[in-house]
Amino acid sequence: MYTIDVDFEVYKQLTVRRATEHVTYNDVIRELLGLAQSAPTPSAAQGSGPSPGDWVAKGVRFPVGTDFRANYKGQVHTARVESGALVLNGKRFDSPSAAAVSITGSAVNGWRFWECRTPGKSSWQSIESLRK
């Protein structure tokens, strides 16, 4: 094992890119450099089966640690899947629409409002695209 020194700004950016605590800093750097994983991470070793903390909405499974974001009136809002729910500003929601309404104050289709990034991924996608 080797040690490298990084400044605080780099450390913060690496930390933000860790989807879960199971993703190591080495995993983040390997992904940024386009290198293959050296060994499966614990989350990858679990396969595609559900975890106890996963959140299922309308038949779509979002793994624990999935990040959500939405841009509303020029402000980016973020949420995360934790303990079987979508958590936004410390409050748990059972549907993407309920979380979206808490931001907008009016009826909104949460499936069109949010996009997500699943653990281990670097790209965002509309959650509407995940529905069958």
Side-chain angles (χ1 to χ4, degrees):
M1 175 92 32
Y2 299 95
T3 303
I4 60 171
D5 291 320
V6 296
D7 62 42
F8 185 66
E9 233 178 330
V10 171
Y11 174 76
K12 283 187 345 185
Q13 287 301 312
L14 291 172
T15 301
V16 166
R17 286 173 168 78
R18 290 178 66 202
T20 69
E21 291 180 11
H22 297 294
V23 177
T24 67
Y25 290 100
N26 189 69
D27 293 337
V28 171
I29 293 168
R30 290 183 75 82
E31 181 179 336
L32 289 171
L33 295 174
L35 301 172
Q37 288 292 339
S38 56
T41 61
S43 59
Q46 291 174 358
S48 61
S51 282
D54 291 352
W55 176 50
V56 179
K58 299 277 186 177
V60 178
R61 182 178 65 88
F62 297 98
V64 65
T66 297
D67 292 314
F68 279 66
R69 76 176 179 190
N71 190 332
Y72 180 69
K73 292 190 175 180
Q75 186 175 0
V76 176
H77 299 269
T78 60
R80 181 168 249 212
V81 174
E82 298 173 3
S83 304
L86 182 62
V87 179
L88 170 68
N89 298 326
K91 187 173 178 188
R92 297 170 54 87
F93 293 92
D94 293 327
S95 77
S97 295
V101 167
S102 77
I103 293 169
T104 65
S106 59
V108 64
N109 182 334
W111 291 92
R112 292 187 179 149
F113 186 81
W114 294 103
E115 52 185 2
C116 74
R117 179 180 62 197
T118 55
K121 302 284 184 176
S122 58
S123 61
W124 293 86
Q125 67 184 109
S126 162
I127 65 169
E128 183 178 35
S129 68
L130 302 173
R131 289 178 76 179
K132 295 179 180 175

